[in-house]
Amino acid sequence: LLFAMSRAANPNKPKKGAQPTEAELAAKKQKVERERIRKLIITLGDDNKKVVSQVRGVAGALEDDVELHGDLMSDTVVECAKCLPLKSGMFAAWLTKMAEKNATWCATVVSKLLEELRASVRTGRTSTVQLLLRFCVCLGNCGLISLSSVFQLLHEVCALSEGLRPNKGGDFGVFLALAQLPFLSPAAYKKAKEAVSKLIEAAKPYLAHRDPRWKPLLQILKGHELPDRLEALADCLESLVQADWASQAVLHVPGFEPADESKPGMPEFSLGIKAEELKKTVRLQVPLMSSQLLTSAGEAPEGGRMSKQDRWVLEDYILLTIEMFGKDVEKCSEQILRIPVLHSDFEAVAVETIFSQMLRLPSPPHLPLFYLRLLEAIAEKQVTTKKLIEEAYQALFEHSAVLDEESLDVLAEAFAYHLVHSTYQADWKHFTGESVSVQGQRFIRRAMERLQRLSFHQNLIHRLPEAVHVYVPAEPVAASGLPVVSRPEFGRMIGFVRIKDANENKVMEYCNWLMHLQPKEEQSEQPSTAAKPSEGVAEVTVNDDDANEAAGGDETDAKRRKLNDGSKDAASKQEAGKAEEAEPSVKQEEKEEGQGDEAKGTSADSSSKEAADAPGRAASSEEFGPAPAQPLPLEEVAEIVAFAMLQQGHRTPTHMSKLLDGNQKVLIRLRPQDEEKAHSFAKRIVRCVLDFWRASAQRLEIVMDMLLHRAVVTPRAVVETALAEKGPQGCDSMAVWNIINSVARKSLERSQAVRVELALAKKLGKEDSLEKSRAQLDEAVHENAELFTLIFTGLVKNYQDIGDKDATLRNITLQRISAIGRKYVAFIRPLVVAAESRIPGVANCPEVAAVFSTLSTL
């Protein structure tokens, strides 16, 4: 009774389930225990204070868990070593402490570490290899592994560069070996000074013959030569030698000393990989050092500027932290601010490094939005960085005249995001007045185009200062006043091209009517009077649905009776403007009228016979209006259809997509069969889209992508037409370059997908699929080469046509050639190397030939 009353008072109270078994309780307890162990290891060193006490405490807390959870602990340690750049020394100290009571387990950890290192080297995972090698060096600093074993491993890594050119993986071994030396402790350096010198000497022959001719292609600011990180590393090591290996940027856990011998039971430190194994699989493009936007000018702080070695290490920390925490902005910002570097330049160097990574060439590792959010997250946690971020923007604005074109586009996008976040507040001094440079004007216009995509036109006019309104683009609306709109054929085509109840056959009938073409049925009955169709033009064949539509009592007949009763011109306008709204009323009128009225309608059978015997005669003259005196050319008809589709689908991208779903086959059926005529046809369609959405770059890109995806136009037609645009708002416009890059990426994605299928077929041993995939790959590679040849040919032609008319536009075009080449060189290297013989015009332009010569060294 009490139980029943309790349930009545609280019916939502959960019923008691079955009691868990002992096995379930044990599993739950084990899960909690495993989470405790992982948390203790992962959070080790989160607090930079009392590091030694933390190491000892965690070692004491986990030393008894090795027997039950040894595998979990070893896997966790290795994962932490390759994912947490700031804690390499702390984990090494903890593992050394654990070896006092669990030496065998520590040996298994080191073995797993070496296995992971070998796998990462073979697959070219540069950052993982770098962190695992750093962990090995820290194990040497703490005395778990002998210094001789550590340097033997580093010599093997350095030897991976033997006989390889920089662009064939030569930088991989030397950079990774030397990059570990700054993390050697001063005590370890004193014991192994000779080993350090030998490693540096072993790398010198490669560095002496290394000719980084590609560096100008990667410079963000032209004329501001920056060393790459390998060149800067060589200077860093010299600076460390002079400072007796003292560094303020590297944290070494006190209480641990290096040893001449490894701890008992430790495995042999050997890589066991030769340079020949990596020749075709591993590539490393060493990035440049960060641009000193803030630390190169102005007075130095009281303690002086940060030393070379500390700056190199700090940048290394930031780069690796961004790579490892790139999926979580908040965690990434926290990790950057936890870097144990106490120097007045720390915040400035961090801001410079993030900006340089955002503008990195040939392309940044993450989207510009990521870096902007990272800067915002840092500014929220460290308020003093807000001023530095604004100063960095202003420094880049000052150098806009020498900013690389790709970097300029990225900066414009980032600045647009920044304006939205800062409620449109900024220092506009670089973009107002009469002294604004041409590049400065190009940049702010590009930024406003991006900003308009994030907001809307009237908001920009309302929120932005009046002095910069001149740079705000026009309202992104469809073009008006196009010549085709005034044509009567366009007005009638609008009535046939519909989103709802689309009838592509009716549109094709009207197209044939305009070209004086007749359906196949009529041609077969009257061969002597039928007009000859244009070559390759598809004609409409009336199918069963069309015959039923033409029958008595049909919607078309009702419309015809309505046309006979009233003015033909007025009815035509009403049908063109309100076709969809008129359908229900027409059907109702049809029901009210008698179907036996022979004066206004015919029976279903007689109407079907009439439609079959003479389609397009009296009916077409009434529906389609008077036929043109001369047949319209195919491309002119296609232009009318294209503009009608664009007009009907202009409201939103969804409208356009739905309209194409029902009408795209019209353009495909109109397309000639002859290859060159079909190409000319596709170019005409592309030109229509460019003209219609000239004021809205975003809608232009969306519609062009739709047409490419549906195979209505071809990549070749898009590229040729886009590059034929003239003037600063032509081939230099943001929309044109977004479209060209989109076409290039999709072409490469198709070839990469075929490569994956080929690799899968090889793995599974499917001979039939193997041959098919090889044929597809050859075709895809050929298509890629043709597409990029077309892109480069158009750019070279534009460069030659500009001549001495516009030095700025000429330089921009040359930079565009460089940008396309460096972004996709890994996929089109044979074309780049043989550019003078395969790309028309390159051999006659020394400046262009020099660009391709430099690109071949990447």
Side-chain angles (χ1 to χ4, degrees):
L1 180 61
L2 291 174
F3 175 77
M5 292 176 63
S6 175
R7 291 294 299 173
N10 187 10
N12 294 324
K13 184 178 180 180
K15 295 181 180 180
K16 290 185 178 181
Q19 292 295 327
T21 63
E22 292 184 6
E24 291 175 341
L25 289 173
K28 184 176 181 180
K29 183 178 179 181
Q30 187 179 23
K31 181 180 179 181
V32 172
E33 187 69 10
R34 290 169 67 87
E35 289 299 323
R36 179 187 70 85
I37 292 171
R38 280 180 54 82
K39 184 176 180 180
L40 281 173
I41 296 174
I42 294 171
T43 58
L44 173 64
D46 278 357
D47 186 359
N48 291 336
K49 299 177 182 179
K50 301 180 180 180
V51 176
V52 177
S53 300
Q54 291 183 58
V55 169
R56 291 174 179 168
V58 175
L62 297 179
E63 60 186 10
D64 294 332
D65 293 308
V66 171
E67 184 177 354
L68 291 176
H69 303 287
D71 291 340
L72 172 68
M73 293 169 62
S74 60
D75 291 342
T76 304
V77 172
V78 174
E79 286 294 319
C80 290
K82 67 181 186 181
C83 295
L84 300 175
L86 307 181
K87 297 185 179 183
S88 300
M90 299 176 192
F91 289 122
W94 174 76
L95 195 62
T96 304
K97 190 68 177 175
M98 290 288 291
E100 294 177 1
K101 294 185 178 181
N102 297 279
T104 304
W105 174 78
C106 288
T108 62
V109 175
V110 174
S111 298
K112 285 186 177 181
L113 171 67
L114 292 173
E115 290 174 6
E116 185 68 29
L117 177 61
R118 295 185 188 103
S120 300
V121 168
R122 288 192 172 95
T123 53
R125 290 177 285 165
T126 305
S127 299
T128 302
V129 175
Q130 189 173 350
L131 288 174
L132 291 176
L133 285 173
R134 183 180 302 178
F135 187 52
C136 293
V137 170
C138 292
L139 291 176
N141 291 338
C142 295
L144 184 65
I145 304 297
S146 67
L147 291 176
S148 58
S149 298
V150 172
F151 278 96
Q152 178 185 345
L153 178 64
L154 294 180
H155 273 284
E156 287 189 63
V157 174
C158 186
L160 296 176
S161 295
E162 290 180 1
L164 299 180
R165 290 179 295 172
N167 62 348
K168 295 294 184 180
D171 286 349
F172 184 78
V174 169
F175 176 76
L176 289 175
L178 297 183
Q180 313 316 315
L181 294 181
F183 298 90
L184 199 66
S185 67
Y189 173 70
K190 290 179 181 178
K191 281 188 174 243
K193 187 178 293 188
E194 185 177 349
V196 173
S197 300
K198 285 184 179 180
L199 183 60
I200 295 175
E201 289 297 323
K204 278 186 177 179
Y206 175 83
L207 295 175
H209 292 89
R210 181 177 182 261
D211 181 18
R213 292 171 51 200
W214 60 86
K215 279 202 309 180
L217 294 172
L218 306 181
Q219 300 287 349
I220 297 172
L221 300 173
K222 304 305 176 184
H224 295 234
E225 296 297 325
L226 291 172
D228 63 28
R229 290 189 58 76
L230 182 52
E231 293 172 327
L233 178 57
D235 294 338
C236 164
L237 296 177
E238 290 182 7
S239 180
L240 276 170
V241 171
Q242 294 173 2
D244 201 22
W245 226 259
S247 173
Q248 297 180 5
V250 182
L251 175 64
H252 299 291
V253 180
F256 295 87
E257 294 295 328
D260 295 327
E261 298 292 335
S262 300
K263 296 288 185 183
M266 290 299 114
E268 181 183 358
F269 253 47
S270 176
L271 188 63
I273 300 175
K274 302 299 181 183
E276 291 77 13
E277 299 180 46
L278 309 180
K279 190 172 183 179
K280 295 183 178 180
T281 58
V282 174
R283 298 288 183 272
L284 172 62
Q285 180 68 64
V286 179
L288 302 183
M289 290 292 288
S290 300
S291 298
Q292 297 184 14
L293 305 171
L294 305 173
T295 55
S296 63
E299 298 181 0
E302 292 183 6
R305 290 296 180 195
M306 189 177 291
S307 64
K308 290 181 180 179
Q309 62 267 32
D310 288 343
R311 184 181 181 103
W312 193 95
V313 171
L314 176 56
E315 287 192 19
D316 189 72
Y317 277 144
I318 295 172
L319 296 183
L320 290 171
T321 300
I322 289 175
E323 182 167 352
M324 297 301 166
F325 291 87
K327 294 182 179 179
D328 191 331
V329 173
E330 286 298 319
K331 286 290 183 184
C332 188
S333 62
E334 290 174 4
Q335 291 293 318
I336 289 175
L337 292 176
R338 281 180 180 175
I339 295 175
V341 176
L342 300 176
H343 195 281
S344 53
D345 276 346
F346 169 78
E347 293 176 2
V349 173
V351 171
E352 288 175 342
T353 305
I354 295 172
F355 266 95
S356 297
Q357 283 298 292
M358 180 175 67
L359 304 178
R360 179 174 165 179
L361 298 172
S363 57
H366 300 279
L367 294 174
L369 180 59
F370 167 81
Y371 295 100
L372 183 71
R373 290 181 60 205
L374 180 58
L375 289 168
E376 291 171 357
I378 290 175
E380 289 174 0
K381 297 175 179 64
Q382 193 77 15
V383 181
T384 52
T385 58
K386 289 184 178 180
K387 182 181 178 182
L388 295 173
I389 293 171
E390 291 295 337
E391 290 176 359
Y393 273 117
Q394 296 302 318
L396 287 167
F397 296 159
E398 289 177 4
H399 295 96
S400 59
V402 293
L403 195 62
D404 181 87
E405 280 299 306
E406 287 288 298
S407 299
L408 183 139
D409 289 342
V410 173
L411 182 63
E413 183 176 354
F415 186 56
Y417 288 129
H418 176 70
L419 286 174
V420 172
H421 182 261
S422 61
T423 62
Y424 301 90
Q425 300 299 314
D427 186 351
W428 303 98
K429 64 182 179 182
H430 294 290
F431 309 112
T432 55
E434 299 179 356
S435 59
V436 184
S437 65
V438 175
Q439 282 293 86
Q441 294 179 33
R442 288 184 67 245
F443 166 77
I444 193 61
R445 284 196 176 95
R446 193 64 54 87
M448 291 299 172
E449 285 184 48
R450 293 285 187 183
L451 186 60
Q452 188 159 264
R453 295 188 180 199
L454 300 174
S455 181
F456 52 94
H457 182 75
Q458 294 302 326
N459 192 39
L460 301 191
I461 298 298
H462 177 69
R463 303 290 294 275
L464 293 172
E466 189 174 353
V468 297
H469 284 183
V470 65
Y471 302 118
V472 177
E475 190 170 359
V477 295
S480 59
L482 293 170
V484 70
V485 177
S486 61
R487 301 185 60 164
E489 297 87 354
F490 176 79
R492 290 189 177 274
M493 186 66 77
I494 283 285
F496 300 130
V497 175
R498 304 172 182 172
I499 296 176
K500 184 180 179 182
D501 299 330
N503 188 345
E504 64 184 45
N505 288 327
K506 182 63 67 179
V507 180
M508 280 299 303
E509 282 187 51
Y510 186 49
C511 292
N512 288 339
W513 175 262
L514 295 178
M515 293 184 289
H516 288 195
L517 300 179
Q518 296 179 4
K520 292 181 180 179
E521 289 86 346
E522 187 169 348
Q523 289 183 41
S524 61
E525 293 179 4
Q526 300 178 352
S528 59
T529 58
K532 290 185 178 182
S534 300
E535 182 182 356
V537 178
E539 298 177 1
V540 62
T541 301
V542 180
N543 55 26
D544 295 338
D545 293 337
D546 296 327
N548 291 335
E549 188 174 338
D554 188 276
E555 176 185 274
T556 305
D557 242 25
K559 288 182 180 177
R560 194 179 307 152
R561 289 193 298 274
K562 189 171 183 178
L563 282 170
N564 290 333
D565 290 340
S567 170
K568 292 183 180 180
D569 293 337
S572 299
K573 291 180 182 178
Q574 182 179 5
E575 183 179 357
K578 300 182 179 179
E580 295 182 13
E581 292 82 351
E583 290 175 8
S585 61
V586 170
K587 291 180 179 179
Q588 183 64 29
E589 179 184 342
E590 176 189 59
K591 292 181 180 179
E592 293 175 356
E593 294 178 353
Q595 294 192 12
D597 190 349
E598 296 181 357
K600 295 183 179 180
T602 62
S603 67
D605 293 338
S606 61
S607 291
S608 298
K609 185 174 185 303
E610 180 184 344
D613 291 341
R617 291 179 184 171
S620 295
S621 63
E622 294 171 353
E623 278 190 285
F624 301 153
Q630 297 295 328
L632 298 185
L634 170 62
E635 291 189 359
E636 197 170 320
V637 173
E639 183 179 275
I640 294 172
V641 175
F643 276 119
M645 289 183 178
L646 292 168
Q647 181 63 40
Q648 291 288 67
H650 80 280
R651 292 183 181 179
T652 65
T654 304
H655 281 76
M656 190 65 198
S657 178
K658 289 184 176 180
L659 185 135
L660 287 174
D661 288 340
N663 297 274
Q664 67 184 31
K665 289 183 180 178
V666 173
L667 294 174
I668 295 174
R669 289 166 66 179
L670 284 173
R671 184 168 56 204
Q673 300 298 323
D674 180 76
E675 186 176 347
E676 287 305 314
K677 290 183 178 180
H679 176 58
S680 177
F681 178 90
K683 287 176 66 176
R684 191 69 169 256
I685 302 300
V686 174
R687 167 56 53 201
C688 293
V689 181
L690 288 170
D691 290 342
F692 190 82
W693 287 115
R694 187 170 298 278
S696 178
Q698 190 172 18
R699 290 295 298 275
L700 172 59
E701 295 169 30
I702 293 171
V703 173
M704 202 69 77
D705 186 68
M706 288 180 183
L707 296 177
L708 281 167
H709 179 70
R710 298 163 188 267
V712 175
V713 298
T714 62
R716 177 188 170 195
V718 171
V719 169
E720 283 189 7
T721 310
L723 290 178
E725 293 283 277
K726 301 299 181 183
Q729 292 304 311
C731 67
D732 185 42
S733 72
M734 181 175 68
V736 165
W737 279 104
N738 286 346
I739 290 170
I740 289 176
N741 276 301
S742 176
V743 169
R745 282 195 303 272
K746 288 180 179 179
S747 178
L748 294 173
E749 286 170 3
R750 285 194 293 271
S751 63
Q752 290 301 103
V754 175
R755 290 182 193 275
V756 171
E757 291 177 4
L758 179 60
L760 185 61
K762 284 182 179 179
K763 185 177 180 180
L764 299 176
K766 295 182 177 180
E767 292 298 329
D768 52 342
S769 300
L770 197 60
E771 293 301 321
K772 180 181 177 182
S773 296
R774 282 173 179 164
Q776 290 176 343
L777 181 59
D778 291 340
E779 183 182 353
V781 170
H782 179 68
E783 288 178 357
N784 286 341
E786 283 190 341
L787 178 64
F788 280 96
T789 301
L790 188 65
I791 293 173
F792 285 128
T793 301
L795 288 170
V796 173
K797 185 178 183 302
N798 288 345
Y799 181 80
Q800 292 173 326
D801 291 343
I802 294 169
D804 298 328
K805 301 174 186 175
D806 190 334
T808 301
L809 191 57
R810 183 179 173 91
N811 180 53
I812 291 169
T813 306
L814 195 63
Q815 288 197 49
R816 293 294 187 188
I817 297 173
S818 174
I820 291 290
R822 73 185 167 211
K823 182 178 289 188
Y824 304 111
V825 66
F827 307 98
I828 57 170
R829 186 174 296 279
L831 176 62
V832 170
V833 172
E836 292 191 23
S837 60
R838 295 179 60 179
I839 301 175
V842 173
N844 300 326
C845 293
E847 301 91 344
V848 177
V851 168
F852 279 102
S853 176
T854 308
L855 286 170
S856 64
T857 64
L858 277 170

